Amino acid sequence: MKILVGVKRVVDFNVRIQVKADGSGVATEGVKMSMNPFDEIAVEEALRLKEAGKAEEVIAITIGPKASQEQLRTALAMGADRAIHVETDEDVQPLTAARILKAITDKEEPKIVMLGKQAIDDDNNQTAQMLAALANWPQATFASKIDVDGDSANVTREIDAGLETLSIDLPAVISTDLRLNEPRYVKLPDIMKAKRKPIETFTIAELGIEPAAAVKVLKTSAPAARQAGIKVASVDELVAALKEKGLI
Amino acid sequence: MAKVLIIAEHDGKKLNGSTARVMTCAQGLSAESVEIAVFAAEGAAVAEQAAAISGVTKVLLIENPANEHATAAILAPQIEALASEYSHVLAPSTTFGKDLTPRIAAHLAVPQISDIMRVESPRIFDRPIYAGNAVITVEAPEGIVVGTVRTASFSEAEKTGSATIEKREINVELPSHTRFVKLETSGSADRPDLQAAAKVVSGGRGVGSTENFKVIYDLADKLGAAVGASRAAVDAGFIPNDHQVGQTGKIIAPELYMSFGISGAIQHLAGIKDAGTIVAINKDPDAPIFEIADFGLVGDLFEIIPELEKALA
Ligand SMILES: Cc1cc2nc3c(=O)[nH]c(=O)nc-3n(C[C@H](O)[C@H](O)[C@H](O)COP(=O)(O)OP(=O)(O)OC[C@H]3O[C@@H](n4cnc5c(N)ncnc54)[C@H](O)[C@@H]3O)c2cc1C
């Protein structure tokens, strides 16, 4: 079976982002970009399923500008077999992304589409669920354990109440949470080898997708800042301060 | 005028407090009506709790054996069948709501607004991006507004209402491709709920081990506080995942948040920005957590906690 894995280029999780003074967005010029951490986990999980003999082919897909090919190369260096780049300079919102993934899914017929549970830029946490809806497939979101057994899978999900296990029929969409695995580091020879792996490129128009009605971003602002606090010198001082506020 | 449908979150017996927070958000929509839908196998008790939330026009009770431990795949088609009667469909931005609402939005061919933190008008909302390090003001396009509500941004609505409860039957085909197997909870049911607690005591990697976490639990018990944790503490297996606070864990707004041995990564801070008072105990004077703490104390948590307990006794 094939596994299709989504990969998004985002501002690296270590960067402290700055909101532009004119409210037009977040400054991304010259900022370090990386693969969305949840997607790295998705790539890793797909590769482990392949290594365990449960999948034959791992295909990485990204939707984004030309530079997103860097992240596809990372996925290929990790071990993905080939990649698909849906190239666009537009801001692609989750419903449109889901429609694009649906079109590719129809073409490739993977048994599992593995996506990060959220991208750490927009923090939407929507695309996997939307793709599952459009395909009328099962979804298992926030996965921390995946056991594939023939035509079904048991997926353990991290939810507010604890750990929930679902049994789902394949094909299905799975979204990955942090504790599913620890992604491998890519080695230099793998990066060289990845350069020879194929990347197929499409435009959104070529896929015949109608972009969905979009949410309009009116402005971007910095969050309300917390007032600077103080350092106390002792436990007694701390307790006195909390008592004064009526907190203890 | 807005007609709002809120999807109740519950465990079959008890309505989750997040539902009353969504109600407070809905009050900002100048709505003509706000209805709460309870999907359950047997939901009379939950429906009554929902009916007591002030401002609720009506509670819809949809009972069906399939709604026991209902998954998004089971709930979405039922909600879609109701949706055309409403202008807004809202759920809390908990793992329940996050899993569910995008499935509905996609079928209704509308985008979703995730993590609504402020209502500017019935179609204009603020929501956080980049782990809360920026806020965008967004306008929903025409059509039904489907959204999740960031529960830390809204307090629970009062419970002085007595709305009518109407039983509904929804006859749509439900899929059998997704089956509930089990739920493992961490057995912290007798402690205050992390998402609703007024006080939270939280431990990080600095706590060092599962055994050491006992000092965090003991202090929490003394204060009547819930227990939280950083991702590093959960990853290391010191404490179960449902205690994780942050961008990808729980977003909380207690009156008092006390952190021990947590460095203050942006992903962790994303979960506590709305706390009333933040206290940080860390042995590293340069730990970033001190930048947002109201009261910081530099020192070893294993020396400070016993002193604190003595001072509180
Ligand atoms: C995509 C993504 C999502 C993430 N989501 C989350 C999230 O939701 N929540 C979250 O918490 N993290 C999250 N993280 C992880 C985050 O980046 C940090 O790695 C994590 O928060 C660190 O946890 P920590 O502060 O406990 O550990 P560390 O950063 O290792 O800090 C430990 C601290 O303990 C102090 N310490 C050690 N011993 C003592 C002692 N005896 N007394 C006092 N202080 C002591 C040290 O000085 C240090 O500051 C996420 C990361 C990524 C990439």
Side-chain angles (χ1 to χ4, degrees):
Chain A
M1 75 170 182
K2 288 185 199 173
I3 303 180
L4 184 69
V5 194
V7 164
K8 187 178 182 189
R9 175 182 174 86
V10 298
V11 171
D12 186 83
F13 78 95
N14 271 316
V15 172
R16 283 202 183 196
I17 57 104
Q18 299 292 331
V19 173
K20 290 186 195 162
D22 64 358
S24 65
V26 164
T28 52
E29 295 80 28
V31 162
K32 183 176 180 210
M33 305 294 285
S34 297
M35 190 192 301
N36 179 41
F38 292 97
D39 302 346
E40 252 184 293
I41 293 171
V43 174
E44 176 65 33
E45 194 65 15
L47 295 174
R48 288 188 191 186
L49 285 169
K50 186 181 167 191
E51 285 155 7
K54 309 240 170 176
E56 279 86 51
E57 193 181 26
V58 175
I59 308 160
I61 175 166
T62 197
I63 304 166
K66 185 129 221 142
S68 321
Q69 292 207 0
E70 280 170 36
Q71 281 63 47
L72 284 181
R73 290 288 169 203
T74 305
L76 293 169
M78 286 174 78
D81 297 288
R82 60 185 170 95
I84 297 172
H85 182 195
V86 179
E87 195 178 329
T88 172
D89 289 324
E90 302 290 307
D91 166 43
V92 174
Q93 294 185 0
L95 185 53
T96 301
R99 287 184 182 170
I100 293 169
L101 292 171
K102 169 74 166 54
I104 299 291
T105 299
D106 289 344
K107 242 165 74 81
E108 296 285 349
E109 301 186 331
K111 274 286 170 69
I112 297 176
V113 179
M114 192 97 74
L115 304 176
K117 78 164 179 182
Q118 71 195 71
I120 60 165
D121 49 6
D122 289 336
D123 281 334
N124 270 316
N125 198 330
Q126 298 176 7
T127 306
Q129 297 88 313
M130 287 181 161
L131 171 62
L134 298 179
N136 279 315
W137 283 4
Q139 69 189 44
T141 52
F142 327 144
S144 65
K145 189 162 180 278
I146 301 171
D147 286 315
V148 174
D149 185 12
D151 277 335
S152 68
N154 267 6
V155 181
T156 303
R157 312 174 52 231
E158 290 203 357
I159 64 168
D160 291 339
L163 295 171
E164 181 187 71
T165 306
L166 296 181
S167 161
I168 52 172
D169 294 337
L170 303 181
V173 181
I174 299 177
S175 86
T176 56
D177 214 322
L178 295 172
R179 274 170 288 277
L180 182 59
N181 61 49
E182 257 187 64
R184 66 197 64 189
Y185 287 103
V186 290
K187 296 183 224 72
L188 197 59
D190 298 327
I191 297 174
M192 301 311 290
K193 251 200 311 203
K195 293 209 168 114
R196 291 194 297 271
K197 292 186 182 174
I199 297 182
E200 203 179 348
T201 305
F202 298 98
T203 61
I204 296 178
E206 278 167 351
L207 293 171
I209 310 279
E210 215 188 297
V215 170
K216 196 158 128 201
V217 180
L218 304 177
K219 69 167 191 282
T220 305
S221 28
R226 287 187 70 94
Q227 268 190 347
I230 54 161
K231 280 219 177 95
V232 292
S234 68
V235 169
D236 288 343
E237 211 181 303
L238 175 63
V239 169
L242 295 179
K243 279 207 171 125
E244 197 188 303
K245 288 195 141 198
L247 289 166
I248 55 174
Chain B
M1 285 276 267
K3 290 185 79 179
V4 185
L5 181 68
I6 296 174
I7 313 304
E9 175 170 359
H10 63 87
D11 63 4
K13 298 186 194 78
K14 241 187 120 236
L15 185 69
N16 190 293
S18 59
T19 308
R21 294 178 190 259
V22 179
M23 180 67 218
T24 302
C25 172
Q27 277 159 351
L29 298 168
S30 19
E32 156 194 349
S33 66
V34 181
E35 299 179 12
I36 298 184
V38 174
F39 294 86
E42 286 171 39
V46 174
E48 259 171 49
Q49 295 161 48
I53 297 176
S54 308
V56 175
T57 318
K58 185 161 76 180
V59 173
L60 305 181
L61 175 58
I62 303 95
E63 292 186 313
N64 181 336
N67 287 337
E68 176 103 45
H69 298 298
T71 59
I74 297 286
L75 291 177
Q78 301 179 69
I79 296 165
E80 286 150 30
L82 289 175
S84 63
E85 304 169 29
Y86 302 92
S87 61
H88 293 68
V89 175
L90 300 177
S93 188
T94 53
T95 51
F96 165 77
K98 287 175 180 173
D99 183 44
L100 174 63
T101 48
R103 199 162 172 115
I104 302 166
H107 274 156
L108 299 176
V110 292
Q112 170 178 306
I113 317 279
S114 293
D115 304 318
I116 294 170
M117 59 192 287
R118 202 176 68 87
V119 176
E120 192 170 306
S121 80
R123 293 201 163 268
I124 300 182
F125 309 93
D126 283 356
R127 63 171 301 264
I129 57 172
Y130 287 96
N133 289 300
V135 173
I136 48 176
T137 305
V138 295
E139 184 174 16
E142 250 176 65
I144 298 177
V145 177
V146 176
T148 59
V149 175
R150 184 178 183 273
T151 52
S153 300
F154 300 91
S155 53
E156 286 189 30
E158 303 273 311
K159 309 283 160 52
T160 54
S162 55
T164 51
I165 299 172
E166 181 184 312
K167 285 205 178 196
R168 280 277 182 103
E169 291 223 5
I170 300 176
N171 292 310
V172 288
E173 210 184 314
L174 300 178
S176 58
H177 54 48
T178 307
R179 299 160 295 270
F180 172 83
V181 178
K182 63 177 174 188
L183 173 65
E184 296 155 84
T185 55
S186 61
S188 39
D190 46 349
R191 287 214 159 77
D193 173 16
L194 182 54
Q195 272 157 313
K199 296 174 196 169
V200 172
V201 175
S202 207
R205 197 199 310 267
V207 176
S209 69
T210 311
E211 297 74 54
N212 289 352
F213 245 88
K214 191 170 173 304
V215 300
I216 300 290
Y217 279 106
D218 287 349
L219 179 63
D221 287 346
K222 285 218 168 71
L223 291 167
V227 174
S230 70
R231 172 187 171 189
V234 177
D235 282 1
F238 301 166
I239 183 165
N241 70 285
D242 47 303
H243 293 273
Q244 183 175 314
V245 171
Q247 179 186 21
T248 54
K250 289 177 178 159
I251 311 257
I252 57 175
E255 287 161 31
L256 175 63
Y257 184 79
M258 299 185 80
S259 82
F260 295 88
I262 293 179
S263 62
I266 48 174
Q267 294 86 4
H268 186 78
L269 303 186
I272 60 171
K273 286 207 171 124
D274 297 282
T277 298
I278 297 176
V279 173
I281 281 88
N282 193 306
K283 66 179 183 190
D284 172 8
D286 297 323
I289 186 102
F290 288 127
E291 287 166 32
I292 69 144
D294 298 284
F295 301 111
L297 179 54
V298 178
D300 188 325
L301 71 95
F302 298 106
E303 287 164 20
I304 287 171
I305 289 182
E307 277 186 56
L308 257 174
E309 294 196 330
K310 229 192 279 160
L312 291 171

